[in-house]
Amino acid sequence: MTMAMSIAQFTFFSRATSSSFLNRTNARFNRFTFSTPFSTADATCTRKKNGRLPVLSALELGGVKIARDDVVRDDPTNNVPDSIFSKLGMQLHKRNQHPIGILKNAIYEYFDANYSNKFDKFDDLCPLVSVKQNFDDVLVPADHISRSYNDTYYVDSQTVLRCHTSAHQAELLRDGHTHFLVTGDVYRRDSIDSTHYPVFHQVFVASHYLQPPNFFFLGFFLRFWSIHSYTLLLEMQMEGFRVFSPEEWEASGLDGTSYAAGDLKKCLEGLARHLFGAVEMRWIDAYFPFTNPSFELEIYFQEKWMEVLGCGVTEQEILRNNGQLDSVAWAFGLGLERLAMVLFDIPDIRLFWSNDERFTSQVQLIDNFTNKKGMTSHCYRIAYRSMECSLTDEEINELQRKVREQVETKLNVELR
């Protein structure tokens, strides 16, 4: 995978007012200088025989120390290759300047603003879980295809790399958490191409941030790449969960299930507007083993209907099994890579895992100051690149012209 690039830079002034985008999101501009390649003091590395790419031999995740031999074993039931073990510990969702981290924080901000910091956040839970946690605790049938060795990475017959962040749901409920967001990398067996990757990131919410103009700076820099259709089997996930007690729904005159379903839809419609702006939405009835009723939320975006997430009212059996008697709850899950690819116009999922600075440092704030008149100046360096060809000066100039036009119109700033 090769990329050709060209660099340009421009400076703009804006006046700091309460209604300006720049004032409201000034700190977010710094996120466009992406983080450096993964490193950790808790990880040790060995080198491949060819002396090139390092392979982690030990790391610490969620307070659990994991050695390579804990995951890649000489065991007839083990199907985890070194290539997957090497992704453990990268934790793209914890890099605040990475598209995955930006999106995660956007969702966090929505819940903090609308639920007064009520939701507990977990983004460092160990991805090694038991078969019971991964399947049984969330009512996945014994004959479900997701349990097969073709679909799931097994460390041994009783331990897997989590397929979804719901694997932590039961434990968190037993620990007394009633509102929580769980984010993490999840693993499913799949071939690698531009739209599929065997590691992905999920957010789970049990009970960004930005509308399109706010995503502008990360959006335009890949806008000239074509957008491919894709079906993601693997991704970084976020999951959410919220539990209701009887006194919360009894005053409404609704039964608990109807009350939870209505609250769930209101919450997620707000999240969709937070991420995508004033888009048209529709709810589709769905089936998931762990919720009933179950729904999928679709939005009309870029002239087509697109699924955003799956959700539903949690099955009573899950609540009863984990000490939540006489309660109802809702849950939703979404894939961060899939949404980030759309919001940031990223055409190839493999780019998320790249340490190539030509990708990770594509937009950089290199200077800023505020003058005596209260005007703030930001100077950005932008690297334009294509994965398909070398860009000509004429193509770069046209891209730069469009960027300047959109900066002036969308951000209401003065260019120098």
Side-chain angles (χ1 to χ4, degrees):
M1 183 167 59
T2 60
M3 293 188 284
M5 64 177 286
S6 180
I7 295 176
Q9 66 185 52
F10 63 86
T11 303
F12 64 79
F13 275 108
S14 67
R15 185 178 301 277
T17 64
S18 59
S19 59
S20 72
F21 164 74
L22 180 62
N23 185 61
R24 287 183 288 112
T25 60
N26 182 52
R28 288 172 187 153
F29 278 116
N30 294 326
R31 294 178 183 171
F32 303 127
T33 305
F34 283 79
S35 55
T36 56
F38 167 74
S39 64
T40 173
D42 294 323
T44 58
C45 295
T46 57
R47 300 195 68 83
K48 290 184 177 180
K49 291 181 178 180
N50 59 19
R52 282 183 268 179
L53 296 176
V55 178
L56 287 173
S57 60
L59 66 157
E60 183 172 331
L61 291 173
V64 178
K65 292 186 177 180
I66 303 173
R68 177 188 175 278
D69 291 343
D70 293 329
V71 180
V72 183
R73 301 178 180 176
D74 185 14
D75 184 306
T77 62
N78 184 285
N79 60 357
V80 183
D82 275 319
S83 59
I84 294 300
F85 178 76
S86 68
K87 300 297 183 290
L88 297 176
M90 292 190 70
Q91 297 185 305
L92 303 183
H93 61 291
K94 299 188 73 174
R95 303 185 188 186
N96 291 333
Q97 297 169 332
H98 190 281
I100 298 297
I102 293 172
L103 181 55
K104 181 200 76 171
N105 290 330
I107 298 171
Y108 279 5
E109 291 172 11
Y110 170 78
F111 278 92
D112 286 345
N114 289 276
Y115 294 92
S116 301
N117 296 306
K118 184 178 291 186
F119 280 80
D120 299 321
K121 304 177 185 70
F122 301 90
D123 65 358
D124 194 28
L125 299 177
C126 182
L128 289 176
V129 298
S130 68
V131 169
K132 179 178 182 297
Q133 289 174 297
N134 198 72
F135 297 119
D136 300 336
D137 285 349
V138 289
L139 310 183
V140 175
D143 60 350
H144 197 276
I145 190 171
S146 63
R147 291 178 180 255
S148 76
Y149 282 78
N150 290 327
D151 281 38
T152 296
Y153 286 109
Y154 280 81
V155 175
D156 56 45
S157 62
Q158 298 301 316
T159 310
V160 300
L161 289 173
R162 64 186 171 209
C163 298
H164 44 218
T165 48
S166 304
H168 305 286
Q169 184 182 120
E171 179 182 3
L172 292 173
L173 286 172
R174 289 194 298 271
D175 287 345
H177 299 284
T178 59
H179 298 66
F180 52 87
L181 302 169
V182 180
T183 310
D185 42 336
V186 297
Y187 301 79
R188 299 177 197 164
R189 298 195 70 196
D190 195 24
S191 58
I192 297 176
D193 58 29
S194 65
T195 62
H196 298 78
Y197 209 80
V199 186
F200 57 108
H201 299 77
Q202 186 183 64
V203 177
F204 169 73
V205 186
S207 181
H208 92 197
Y209 59 176
L210 308 174
Q211 297 180 2
N214 305 53
F215 274 110
F216 175 71
F217 270 101
L218 268 180
F220 71 66
F221 76 83
L222 290 168
R223 182 90 46 195
F224 59 93
W225 279 341
S226 61
I227 299 176
H228 305 284
S229 60
Y230 48 83
T231 302
L232 283 179
L233 298 179
L234 306 169
E235 59 191 345
M236 185 74 79
Q237 288 187 353
M238 179 182 283
E239 191 158 328
F241 203 92
R242 182 181 184 183
V243 178
F244 299 89
S245 58
E247 54 267 24
E248 292 181 84
W249 74 77
E250 287 174 349
S252 70
L254 299 173
D255 64 86
T257 298
S258 298
Y259 182 85
D263 185 88
L264 170 65
K265 290 183 177 181
K266 180 181 177 181
C267 170
L268 297 181
E269 287 172 359
L271 176 60
R273 285 190 292 269
H274 190 57
L275 295 175
F276 294 96
V279 293
E280 185 180 353
M281 307 178 206
R282 67 184 182 187
W283 290 96
I284 307 297
D285 291 337
Y287 165 77
F288 305 112
F290 28 80
T291 54
N292 184 27
S294 302
F295 314 100
E296 291 176 347
L297 175 60
E298 295 184 351
I299 64 170
Y300 195 72
F301 188 70
Q302 296 179 342
E303 300 185 349
K304 63 181 179 181
W305 285 101
M306 181 185 77
E307 179 191 339
V308 176
L309 52 82
C311 61
V313 178
T314 306
E315 285 281 7
Q316 280 293 304
E317 182 178 349
I318 293 176
L319 296 174
R320 289 195 302 267
N321 289 346
N322 296 288
Q324 296 292 335
L325 305 179
D326 302 320
S327 300
V328 296
W330 55 244
F332 76 82
L334 56 84
L336 292 178
E337 275 94 341
R338 182 174 180 273
L339 294 185
M341 288 178 77
V342 173
L343 287 165
F344 299 142
D345 286 351
I346 296 173
D348 194 316
I349 192 173
R350 290 168 291 189
L351 287 170
F352 288 121
W353 299 90
S354 173
N355 282 327
D356 189 331
E357 292 185 1
R358 294 176 300 174
F359 173 73
T360 59
S361 300
Q362 197 154 2
V363 181
Q364 184 175 8
L365 176 64
I366 61 174
D367 185 43
N368 75 93
F369 71 92
T370 300
N371 64 19
K372 295 180 180 180
K373 297 181 180 180
M375 299 289 286
T376 298
S377 171
H378 280 191
C379 181
Y380 289 90
R381 178 177 291 121
I382 305 169
Y384 296 94
R385 60 183 51 78
S386 171
M387 296 177 66
E388 300 169 350
C389 63
S390 297
L391 297 173
T392 65
D393 289 343
E394 290 76 13
E395 289 171 323
I396 293 295
N397 290 338
E398 178 63 15
L399 288 169
Q400 181 76 352
R401 181 188 66 79
K402 292 179 179 179
V403 167
R404 292 177 64 90
E405 287 180 355
Q406 292 188 54
V407 166
E408 286 185 296
T409 57
K410 292 188 175 185
L411 303 184
N412 192 27
V413 298
E414 174 187 336
L415 295 180
R416 292 197 301 172

